[in-house]
Amino acid sequence: WEESFFMVDVSVVVPVYNVEKYIRDSVNSMLAQTHKNIEIILVDDGSPDNCGAICDEFAAHDERVRVIHQKNSGEGMARNAGIDAACGKYIYCADPDDLLENNLIEETFEIAEQESAEIVIFGCYDCVVNRNEEIVSKVLNLPPCEGSYSYREFWDILPQTGYFMPSVCLKLFRRDFLLKNGLRFSKLTSGADSMFTYDVYDTPFEKICFIAKPYYHYLKRQGSAAYSYKPERFENEIILLNRLRKLIVESPFYTPRHDIVYNQKAVYSACFAMTNLARINNISERQKRRVLSDFVHNPIIAAAIKTAVLKEYRMNIRLRIVLLRIHLYGLGLLICKLK
């Protein structure tokens, strides 16, 4: 792709579905970016609420906003539609119910240009929102390293960092890198971000940059889909763990030190499953215990729980690991429910 092809510096791709209460604030935080040479592609994925009309309102008032209306196909397919329509040199994917710091695009774009990087990764605030839509707590979630790395250097430091930061909302991608390598989101109903990230890391790049600053506000609302029981969520998590293990083991730079990466991911998957199941109310406590037991008996997860070094985890994770090891699923669920 020639430099002259790009009409804008960054295309912000946003899949939109059933978020009419939140989308105005979210898009306004995108329009308030200090870097103005951007486009915002809102992909209305057959949303049953008023989102489509709200998207059209934004497009009518700001020429930087473009809208795609399509039949409901899922978040991953909506992101793909936005990437295909984008004309920016870089692609940034945001969610339609979160908020952006107003310098997110400016500073990540500058780093990408200075370092000739295909990928820039940064941090976020994990925010819990109560029923009154008030932010009641913030947790800083930053990349475990900082600076610029080649593909080989990235794999060298991976065992020390131990975490891939799978959310695409915390990454800026150079568009030609995605296109020439055929990188697209899958049809997974959950975990499409992680699958896309693993595919990206399976593709040799020249440079990746980490910025230890938070630019994104990831808002976790009570009663959101993240805390509802969906059987496919657990099935997809196993698919993702197998994909991550394949990525690690088949890398030309693999050493036994890299096993820590998917072992830690397996541990966190089990702990999140416990939290997820504790907060739902559409299945019985007995069913919750059975689902959790079946999930943690997956060979990868079972091995990771058994061999986990407790001091490497936060105190609340350590407690869950111990309870999982001794099969006290009911107590673990109760503790997570009371938190």
Side-chain angles (χ1 to χ4, degrees):
W1 297 85
E2 298 294 335
E3 287 289 325
S4 60
F5 166 81
F6 300 105
M7 297 170 56
V8 295
D9 293 326
V10 179
S11 298
V12 181
V13 174
V14 188
V16 178
Y17 185 82
N18 210 24
V19 289
E20 66 176 313
K21 288 176 61 178
Y22 318 116
I23 190 172
R24 293 185 189 277
D25 287 343
S26 183
V27 175
N28 281 329
S29 76
M30 300 170 199
L31 293 172
Q33 291 297 299
T34 53
H35 190 91
K36 302 301 182 183
N37 188 23
I38 65 174
E39 64 173 353
I40 300 169
I41 303 175
L42 304 176
V43 184
D44 169 27
D45 191 38
S47 187
D49 59 6
N50 199 40
C51 278
I54 295 172
C55 290
D56 290 337
E57 287 177 25
F58 275 110
H61 289 90
D62 196 309
E63 63 181 7
R64 294 176 297 170
V65 179
R66 297 163 58 195
V67 182
I68 297 172
H69 297 283
Q70 67 178 34
K71 181 180 178 180
N72 179 250
S73 304
E75 181 180 290
M77 297 302 100
R79 291 198 198 277
N80 288 342
I83 292 172
D84 290 339
C87 60
K89 184 175 182 180
Y90 295 88
I91 298 286
Y92 174 63
C93 295
D95 282 342
D97 53 352
D98 295 329
L99 302 175
L100 282 59
E101 290 286 315
N102 64 6
N103 60 346
L104 186 157
I105 298 298
E106 178 181 5
E107 296 193 5
T108 58
F109 172 74
E110 286 181 356
I111 290 291
E113 288 287 273
Q114 289 170 9
E115 300 294 331
S116 298
E118 291 98 332
I119 309 157
V120 176
I121 301 180
F122 47 90
C124 69
Y125 294 103
D126 283 340
C127 307
V128 178
V129 184
N130 66 19
R131 290 185 176 84
N132 296 321
E133 291 300 306
E134 300 168 331
I135 298 175
V136 296
S137 66
K138 287 184 178 181
V139 177
L140 200 59
N141 187 2
L142 298 176
C145 58
E146 191 168 20
S148 301
Y149 302 88
S150 68
Y151 190 63
R152 175 58 187 265
E153 290 169 339
F154 167 75
W155 280 95
D156 285 343
I157 66 167
L158 192 58
Q160 284 74 50
T161 61
Y163 186 41
F164 270 129
M165 299 193 75
S167 172
V168 293
C169 298
L170 306 183
K171 298 179 181 69
L172 182 75
F173 299 102
R174 201 166 69 204
R175 181 169 174 258
D176 64 353
F177 170 71
L178 301 182
L179 294 182
K180 72 182 181 183
N181 291 293
L183 292 165
R184 289 292 185 272
F185 287 86
S186 72
K187 294 183 178 180
L188 286 178
T189 54
S190 64
D193 275 19
S194 295
M195 185 65 79
F196 183 81
T197 296
Y198 300 157
D199 289 344
V200 166
Y201 292 151
D202 207 11
T203 306
F205 46 76
E206 294 295 325
K207 189 73 66 69
I208 186 171
C209 296
F210 293 88
I211 307 175
K213 290 178 64 175
Y215 293 109
Y216 194 78
H217 294 257
Y218 177 44
L219 305 184
K220 300 177 181 179
R221 295 178 171 84
Q222 296 182 11
S224 69
Y227 299 118
S228 61
Y229 174 66
K230 296 180 180 179
E232 65 270 20
R233 181 185 300 276
F234 298 92
E235 296 167 4
N236 289 347
E237 192 65 22
I238 298 300
I239 292 172
L240 291 168
L241 284 170
N242 285 322
R243 174 67 179 98
L244 177 58
R245 188 176 187 279
K246 183 175 185 291
L247 165 64
I248 296 293
V249 173
E250 295 186 3
S251 166
F253 308 120
Y254 167 79
T255 70
R257 297 182 305 122
H258 288 87
D259 294 345
I260 189 175
V261 178
Y262 63 77
N263 284 336
Q264 287 187 348
K265 179 61 173 70
V267 168
Y268 282 115
S269 293
C271 293
F272 176 76
M274 183 183 285
T275 302
N276 176 266
L277 287 164
R279 296 179 180 180
I280 63 176
N281 55 21
N282 60 333
I283 61 174
S284 69
E285 295 302 315
R286 183 178 180 179
Q287 287 175 298
K288 292 179 185 180
R289 292 194 297 272
R290 187 177 69 248
V291 170
L292 183 58
S293 175
D294 290 345
F295 184 68
V296 299
H297 276 85
N298 173 271
I300 292 179
I301 295 179
I305 293 294
K306 181 179 179 180
T307 60
V309 179
L310 294 180
K311 67 180 181 180
E312 296 177 353
Y313 297 89
R314 302 188 307 272
M315 186 59 68
N316 64 328
I317 301 297
R318 293 180 197 175
L319 174 60
R320 298 179 201 189
I321 293 171
V322 171
L323 293 173
L324 290 171
R325 278 179 177 172
I326 59 180
H327 310 303
L328 289 180
Y329 305 126
L331 180 58
L333 291 166
L334 177 61
I335 291 172
C336 289
K337 187 174 184 179
L338 294 176
K339 274 184 170 285

